[in-house]
Amino acid sequence: MRILLTGSAGFVGSHLTERLLADGHEVVGVDNYISGQRGNTALFAEHPGFSFIEADVSHGLPDPGGRLDWVMHFASPASPPHYQQFPVETLMVGAQGTQNGLELARAHGAKFFMASTSEVYGDPHVHPQPESYWGHVNPNGLRSCYDEAKRYAEAITMAYHRHYGVDTRIIRIFNTYGPRMRPDDGRVITNFVHQALRGEPLTVYGDGQQTRSFQYVDDLVEGIVRVMGVQDHDPVNLGNPVEFTMLDLVDVLREVLDQPLATRTEPMPHDDPRQRKPDISRAKALLGWEPLVPLRDGLRRTIDAARRGERPTEAEHSLA
Amino acid sequence: MRILLTGSAGFVGSHLTERLLADGHEVVGVDNYISGQRGNTALFAEHPGFSFIEADVSHGLPDPGGRLDWVMHFASPASPPHYQQFPVETLMVGAQGTQNGLELARAHGAKFFMASTSEVYGDPHVHPQPESYWGHVNPNGLRSCYDEAKRYAEAITMAYHRHYGVDTRIIRIFNTYGPRMRPDDGRVITNFVHQALRGEPLTVYGDGQQTRSFQYVDDLVEGIVRVMGVQDHDPVNLGNPVEFTMLDLVDVLREVLDQPLATRTEPMPHDDPRQRKPDISRAKALLGWEPLVPLRDGLRRTIDAARRGERPTEAEHSLA
């Protein structure tokens, strides 16, 4: 198949590109490097199935010509420090960016795949979160530039499906980690790994009792490929339901690194959810999918990659 | 002041235009007549303070030149039959339309006024709804093209305020009625008034026990003018907190019309909220505002106007 993938130079985008190419597909990557990384494009530069267009999908998605089987929309700043540095761009890639992808899919008779997020659940009152939960999101708070952009993206994806008959998929990605995350992405595993490798104390926000579920990127990519293979338009959670507190995570990291790790405490960021955990019943039933990589193993692979220097090149926009 | 008002040919827009002109301001109206009505533009055609640009604000908001003190964004299909006929246009006017208004305001150093809606509360679990309630909205249901568009509009308005320093206002309008509503707008008061005047039975959905609060349009317009006069960027509810069930409404209408009225029952529409009622504590404290027109009086004025034929001309797009 021939697949146009926005956000191909992002963390998830680069792993998905790798998998799609390995499966024998052609990939047309698109990125504007606002949070993606040139090094992630360079990885595939020699691959005969890969081509790349540098473009801001919010301002227009270039038609690569030829046949397209899928338009997959993964472009967006995704970590709080990125989207809060670029709030308007984040809103736009959820609205204009998604619509440009839908229009391109519609023009080609291609399928459209929307990468939504567990952030549509906001600070949830229901645990774990099934897809039927409508979420608890502040529509105009500091995180709204991301959360509302993604909720809008889901709404317009379903509007194109219902109104224009576009064959659409929506996934909601929960916390995912692995090699090639940006060291400055501000997410806890990246912070911890890079702090530990630099010999710095690990930063714990609040009392460290907030929980997260961590999905290894290979599990996510397997889920994405399976969603492409089913005919179902409603959102599907893809995440790892095993919960860890931040302090648990520190312990696992101590074990994997086999070294003592100091911590230091900072106040909880505004609107930071206390807990978020996927209900993956639907993915299990629909796709026969569940995450297979335990945190210990995934962390080991992530750390090995970081130690080998398998890290992104410098970002276009460095973050304060 | 010189004020650009999108949606000037809509129901609320036309009443707001009337008031702003009466207060001595200049109004540049903008509408594309997707749900607005040419007759509402014609009302002010002879007024020296009024000018009009026919344009779709989602595809670009023309700069009228000269000084602008305010950009007020009221354009959107607002009733379920309208926005479900135009789901993509409704999503776009909330995203691209709002952003075009914000950019115009930013270019002029003008203030920006966003007409949001009680629909951002969705099917609420908190009664009455204060502005601090985050709402309960299905991000991809049939109503999401409207609800999520307005939530996105709030998010991008706050992003322009926080990130670019645009001086913004956000109101959340609850059910409003009065003269010049479209007979086909699908909302209950319009339906009941026109059914009663045609001698037809009134259509009651479900058991008729769902409640609504009904705000007379003059009260809303007074609230809008007061919000323009305060320096406050957080959303303000404008609505009438007095609740009526649908069956109460039938009784008031019987009394006002002084005639017997038959009813007939239809099933509840999908996702229709059972109850919605504003908490107006913030508007009272901030603006010294509360609704003054009782339902009985407002209905009388609405019916008198309808009897005098003070009705919109035909819509551009007639609704099924």
Side-chain angles (χ1 to χ4, degrees):
Chain A
M1 293 192 296
R2 188 152 176 264
I3 298 160
L4 184 138
L5 173 62
T6 76
S8 63
F11 161 57
V12 173
S14 74
H15 285 272
L16 182 56
T17 299
E18 193 172 4
R19 167 68 185 264
L20 293 171
L21 292 172
D23 287 352
H25 303 303
E26 266 183 78
V27 175
V28 182
V30 181
D31 213 298
N32 68 344
Y33 300 119
I34 198 177
S35 59
Q37 300 157 106
R38 292 183 188 277
N40 287 342
T41 302
L43 287 175
F44 312 110
E46 306 300 309
H47 197 293
F50 184 73
S51 58
F52 183 78
I53 302 170
E54 184 169 339
D56 181 343
V57 299
S58 300
H59 290 103
L61 190 47
D63 191 323
R67 185 191 85 255
L68 276 181
D69 300 289
W70 282 94
V71 174
M72 303 184 76
H73 185 41
F74 280 66
S76 179
S79 70
H82 286 108
Y83 62 68
Q84 288 182 9
Q85 188 180 355
F86 300 108
V88 173
E89 291 81 356
T90 302
L91 283 154
M92 289 180 75
V93 79
Q96 288 93 324
T98 304
Q99 188 170 13
N100 288 337
L102 285 160
E103 284 292 338
L104 185 64
R106 196 178 161 207
H108 279 263
K111 298 172 189 177
F112 179 80
F113 194 109
M114 177 66 216
S116 182
T117 168
S118 62
E119 297 278 341
V120 302
Y121 300 119
D123 191 0
H125 285 173
V126 169
H127 296 280
Q129 293 87 49
E131 292 85 352
S132 56
Y133 177 53
W134 290 358
H136 180 229
V137 169
N138 181 345
N140 50 58
L142 285 171
R143 300 174 78 102
S144 65
C145 59
Y146 185 63
D147 303 359
E148 291 299 342
K150 290 291 192 178
R151 291 172 63 96
Y152 181 99
E154 290 195 8
I156 198 166
T157 298
M158 287 306 289
Y160 269 73
H161 170 63
R162 293 191 183 111
H163 206 66
Y164 297 126
V166 177
D167 188 356
T168 56
R169 306 286 184 281
I170 298 173
I171 58 165
R172 291 175 177 162
I173 302 174
F174 285 68
N175 271 8
T176 304
Y177 71 99
R180 303 206 286 267
M181 297 186 79
R182 285 174 60 146
D184 65 352
D185 83 351
R187 284 182 279 200
V188 63
I189 288 196
T190 330
N191 286 349
F192 280 5
V193 166
H194 289 278
Q195 287 173 327
L197 293 181
R198 287 193 301 260
E200 297 168 6
L202 312 189
T203 309
V204 173
Y205 294 94
D207 61 7
Q209 292 301 326
Q210 66 274 36
T211 67
R212 290 288 184 279
S213 57
F214 301 106
Q215 166 174 244
Y216 188 66
V217 66
D218 289 1
D219 285 329
L220 171 63
V221 166
E222 178 62 29
I224 292 169
V225 168
R226 293 196 189 195
V227 170
M228 293 171 76
V230 295
Q231 188 68 24
D232 191 298
H233 311 290
D234 291 322
V236 184
N237 287 340
L238 292 178
N240 192 321
V242 181
E243 282 181 292
F244 294 85
T245 68
M246 298 303 103
L247 297 181
D248 291 337
L249 178 59
V250 173
D251 287 337
V252 176
L253 207 54
R254 280 194 186 107
E255 194 191 314
V256 170
L257 287 167
D258 194 22
Q259 68 183 64
L261 294 170
T263 60
R264 66 188 183 87
T265 301
E266 287 202 7
M268 284 283 279
H270 189 69
D271 280 359
D272 198 48
R274 290 290 305 169
Q275 189 192 13
R276 204 184 289 136
K277 172 186 169 171
D279 179 330
I280 59 166
S281 317
R282 188 165 136 73
K284 277 185 184 170
L286 185 68
L287 315 170
W289 172 92
E290 64 185 316
L292 299 176
V293 182
L295 181 60
R296 196 161 279 115
D297 298 350
L299 273 181
R300 218 179 292 273
R301 295 187 213 173
T302 304
I303 289 165
D304 288 349
R307 278 185 169 145
R308 283 195 311 271
E310 200 175 282
R311 284 210 210 167
T313 54
E314 282 307 292
E316 285 289 280
H317 300 265
S318 67
L319 296 172
Chain B
M1 295 193 297
R2 188 152 176 263
I3 298 158
L4 183 139
L5 173 63
T6 76
S8 62
F11 162 56
V12 173
S14 74
H15 285 272
L16 181 56
T17 299
E18 190 171 7
R19 168 67 184 265
L20 293 171
L21 292 172
D23 287 352
H25 303 303
E26 268 182 76
V27 175
V28 181
V30 181
D31 214 296
N32 68 342
Y33 299 120
I34 197 178
S35 59
Q37 300 156 105
R38 292 183 187 277
N40 286 342
T41 303
L43 288 174
F44 312 110
E46 304 300 310
H47 196 293
F50 183 74
S51 59
F52 183 79
I53 302 170
E54 184 169 339
D56 182 341
V57 300
S58 299
H59 290 103
L61 191 45
D63 191 324
R67 185 192 84 254
L68 276 182
D69 300 288
W70 282 94
V71 174
M72 303 182 76
H73 185 41
F74 280 66
S76 179
S79 71
H82 285 107
Y83 63 66
Q84 288 182 7
Q85 188 180 357
F86 300 108
V88 174
E89 292 82 355
T90 301
L91 283 155
M92 290 182 74
V93 80
Q96 288 93 322
T98 303
Q99 187 169 15
N100 288 336
L102 284 160
E103 284 292 339
L104 186 64
R106 196 179 161 207
H108 278 263
K111 296 171 188 176
F112 180 80
F113 194 110
M114 177 67 215
S116 182
T117 168
S118 62
E119 297 278 340
V120 300
Y121 300 120
D123 192 0
H125 285 172
V126 169
H127 295 280
Q129 293 88 47
E131 291 85 350
S132 56
Y133 178 55
W134 291 357
H136 181 229
V137 169
N138 183 345
N140 49 57
L142 285 171
R143 300 173 77 103
S144 66
C145 59
Y146 185 64
D147 303 359
E148 291 299 341
K150 290 289 191 178
R151 291 172 65 97
Y152 181 100
E154 290 196 8
I156 198 168
T157 298
M158 287 306 288
Y160 269 72
H161 170 61
R162 292 190 184 111
H163 206 66
Y164 296 128
V166 177
D167 189 357
T168 55
R169 304 287 183 283
I170 298 172
I171 58 167
R172 291 177 176 162
I173 302 174
F174 285 68
N175 271 8
T176 304
Y177 71 100
R180 302 206 287 267
M181 296 185 82
R182 285 174 60 148
D184 63 354
D185 81 353
R187 284 182 280 203
V188 62
I189 287 195
T190 330
N191 286 350
F192 279 6
V193 165
H194 289 278
Q195 286 172 327
L197 292 181
R198 287 194 300 260
E200 297 168 5
L202 312 190
T203 309
V204 173
Y205 294 94
D207 61 8
Q209 292 301 325
Q210 67 274 38
T211 66
R212 289 290 183 277
S213 57
F214 301 106
Q215 166 174 244
Y216 189 65
V217 66
D218 290 0
D219 284 329
L220 170 63
V221 167
E222 178 61 29
I224 291 169
V225 168
R226 292 194 189 196
V227 169
M228 294 170 76
V230 295
Q231 189 67 24
D232 192 296
H233 310 291
D234 291 322
V236 184
N237 287 340
L238 293 177
N240 193 321
V242 181
E243 282 182 293
F244 294 85
T245 67
M246 299 300 102
L247 297 182
D248 290 338
L249 177 60
V250 173
D251 286 339
V252 176
L253 207 56
R254 280 193 185 108
E255 194 192 314
V256 169
L257 287 168
D258 194 22
Q259 68 182 62
L261 295 171
T263 60
R264 67 189 183 88
T265 300
E266 288 203 6
M268 283 284 277
H270 188 69
D271 280 359
D272 198 48
R274 290 290 304 172
Q275 189 191 16
R276 205 183 290 137
K277 171 186 170 172
D279 178 332
I280 59 166
S281 314
R282 188 166 136 73
K284 277 186 183 168
L286 184 69
L287 314 170
W289 172 90
E290 63 185 316
L292 298 175
V293 182
L295 182 60
R296 195 160 278 114
D297 297 352
L299 274 180
R300 215 179 294 272
R301 294 187 215 173
T302 305
I303 290 165
D304 287 350
R307 278 184 168 147
R308 283 196 310 271
E310 200 175 284
R311 284 211 210 167
T313 54
E314 281 308 292
E316 285 289 281
H317 301 265
S318 67
L319 298 172

